[in-house]
Amino acid sequence: MKKENFFKRHWLVMLCGLLVGGAAVVLTKFGNPGNMGFCIACFLRDIAGALGLQGASTTNDAGETLRTLSNFRPEIVGLIVGACIMAFVGKEFKPKGGSSPFTRFLLGIVVMVGALVFLGCPLRMVIRIGGGDLNAIIGLVGFIAGILVGILFLKGGFSLGRAYKQSKAEGLVFPIVMVALFVLSVAGSVLYVSGAAPGNKAAPWILALIVALVVGALAQRSRLCMVGGLRDSVMFKEFGLLAGFGCVLLAVLVGNAILGNLKWGFEGQPVAHTEWLWNFLGMAIVGWGSCLLGGCPLRQLILAGEGNTDSAITVFGMIVGGGLAHTLKTASSGAGHGANGPAAVIICFVLLAAISVFNIRKEK
Amino acid sequence: MIDARGLACPLPVLKVQQEVKKNAPNTLEVLVDNNAAVQNVTRFANNAGYKVSVKELEDEEFSLTLTK
């Protein structure tokens, strides 16, 4: 009886999880980088490259310099627009903003820097586990540890304050800007594009866009969130979102098993490194930061599509973070942590601690 | 009364949880301003043994009345 109720209540978020996982496998099959079908952090970092905020590059045999991480990824645009359309359909497009915007911008940077130390957002962490990458399990342990620290502060009175109603125009600026930039990237030659992997590895843009539109719409409806699943399970014994998280993993595991892409191990995993300490700490930053923000990077994109301008600012913080991580050499690579990765991790933890402590609000 | 308008996840539910744990009120009014919060608070309150009635106020706000 209880089991039936659980499925009845949470079928939508579970379906969304299956779809996200399935989409990741399909998009990888059609050209996206390995175990990266749908990584929010990686794709926002590629967008940072497309906008010229970072210029990560490699030199080929002919001595040419080729950009490696520049691509205005259609997946991101599709998620935002899908969520936006669904929010209008469901009468949930209600622009809001004003809850500590600059702190959220900073948290966006912090979360991105942490994600690029690990090499992936929470969604890619699950996708990596589903591809057999055991380094991502170390990341998961760090992610849970970060969320637990975040929960301690939430329970202790942490809040970034309330948001207020904003105009429809203000709520629409973010989706419109992202669509306009995407049109520029497809139609023009203003934005940077990658000439080498992994930035030039991409499924056909029309396929990626359509898949992301559907995922964005469903994620808006179901409120799928990779941080929310673990957080709500611990705080409220509420397991609906966690079931969505589990369904992403299930779909990726099954999909990879069918396609023969499932390779268990630590070594030689696509776009991943084996330094457990930095995998752990990178994801701990993401977990803690996302807990303070109220949702994972995917959820921030969806909320921004719904007209939440605080989330829009967070997403731009993540794009800037993607730029900083590569220009300041804090991002990891397949070879291991970046030259300034350890310093960045320490700075991120100091920032998280300061933001957590200084935003504890005592009840009146 | 708990005013959870404008608060991000999971603060509306957390505020209700803390009030229920601390004072175990027979009735409790909660103000929120989005559907996600309405659903989350309702789910939590039902699990904690409360009945919930939702009233939509003007300006996209909701008043939830929790009764034991």
Side-chain angles (χ1 to χ4, degrees), chain A residues 322-344:
Chain A
L324 289 173
H326 285 277
T327 44
L328 300 180
K329 300 187 176 17
T330 69
S332 300
S333 68
H337 66 79
N340 295 321

Side-chain angles (χ1 to χ4, degrees), chain A residues 284-298:
Chain A
I285 290 169
V286 176
W288 187 355
S290 299
C291 222
L292 302 183
L293 283 166
C296 71
L298 168 72

Side-chain angles (χ1 to χ4, degrees), chain B residues 45-62:
Chain B
N46 287 339
N47 287 342
Y50 286 87
K51 285 202 176 103
V52 181
S53 71
V54 182
K55 198 166 78 184
E56 190 163 358
L57 310 172
E58 299 171 38
D59 215 21
E60 297 156 356
E61 291 177 357
F62 304 86

Side-chain angles (χ1 to χ4, degrees), chain A residues 194-355:
Chain A
S194 286
N200 69 346
K201 291 181 101 179
W205 70 265
I206 195 95
L207 173 74
L209 185 66
I210 291 169
V211 167
L213 278 168
V214 176
V215 170
L218 259 184
Q220 194 278 328
R221 270 279 108 142
S222 68
R223 327 212 192 279
L224 179 73
C225 175
M226 310 311 279
V227 171
L230 290 160
R231 180 197 65 205
D232 292 357
S233 305
V234 175
M235 292 181 84
F236 310 120
K237 309 267 177 295
E238 174 59 55
F239 300 101
L241 290 177
L242 190 65
F245 184 107
C247 283
V248 177
L249 179 59
L250 181 70
V252 179
L253 270 173
V254 172
N256 279 329
I258 293 170
L259 294 175
N261 292 335
L262 191 55
K263 292 180 191 76
W264 294 104
F266 286 96
E267 303 287 336
Q269 296 290 347
V271 202
H273 63 79
T274 55
E275 297 175 353
W276 65 268
L277 178 66
W278 304 110
N279 282 326
F280 177 91
L281 293 176
M283 280 318 281
I285 290 169
V286 176
W288 187 355
S290 299
C291 222
L292 302 183
L293 283 166
C296 71
L298 168 72
R299 184 77 185 133
Q300 297 302 325
L301 278 181
I302 302 298
L303 285 170
E306 284 177 28
N308 186 323
T309 56
D310 290 327
S311 290
I313 287 166
T314 306
V315 172
F316 266 80
M318 289 194 278
I319 293 174
V320 169
L324 289 173
H326 285 277
T327 44
L328 300 180
K329 300 187 176 17
T330 69
S332 300
S333 68
H337 66 79
N340 295 321
V345 165
I346 294 169
I347 293 168
C348 285
F349 276 117
V350 170
L351 281 172
L352 285 171
I355 290 170

Side-chain angles (χ1 to χ4, degrees), chain B residues 34-49:
Chain B
N34 63 79
N35 283 336
V38 171
Q39 291 159 8
N40 292 342
V41 170
T42 303
R43 196 176 300 139
F44 172 79
N46 287 339
N47 287 342

Side-chain angles (χ1 to χ4, degrees), chain A residues 24 37 42 53 88 115 122 125 137 148 172 183 188 194 213 236-237 281 300 355:
Chain A
C42 312
L53 298 176
F88 268 103
M125 175 187 73
I137 300 215
L148 291 176
L172 279 169
V183 171
S194 286
L213 278 168
F236 310 120
K237 309 267 177 295
L281 293 176
Q300 297 302 325
I355 290 170

Side-chain angles (χ1 to χ4, degrees), chain A residues 9-10 92 94 96 104 154-155 158-159 161-163 165 223 231-232 235-236 238 293-294 363, chain B residues 5-11 13-15 17-18 33-36 39 43-44 47 59-60 62:
Chain A
R9 265 195 204 168
H10 301 299
E92 291 189 334
K94 292 173 182 170
K96 276 194 199 77
R104 287 180 187 274
L154 286 173
K155 285 194 165 175
F158 173 87
S159 169
R162 67 160 296 184
K165 201 178 164 189
R223 327 212 192 279
R231 180 197 65 205
D232 292 357
M235 292 181 84
F236 310 120
E238 174 59 55
L293 283 166
E363 287 294 319
Chain B
R5 289 174 299 174
L7 295 182
C9 271
L11 295 177
V13 185
L14 180 63
K15 278 177 174 279
Q17 184 193 41
Q18 288 179 335
D33 65 352
N34 63 79
N35 283 336
Q39 291 159 8
R43 196 176 300 139
F44 172 79
N47 287 342
D59 215 21
E60 297 156 356
F62 304 86

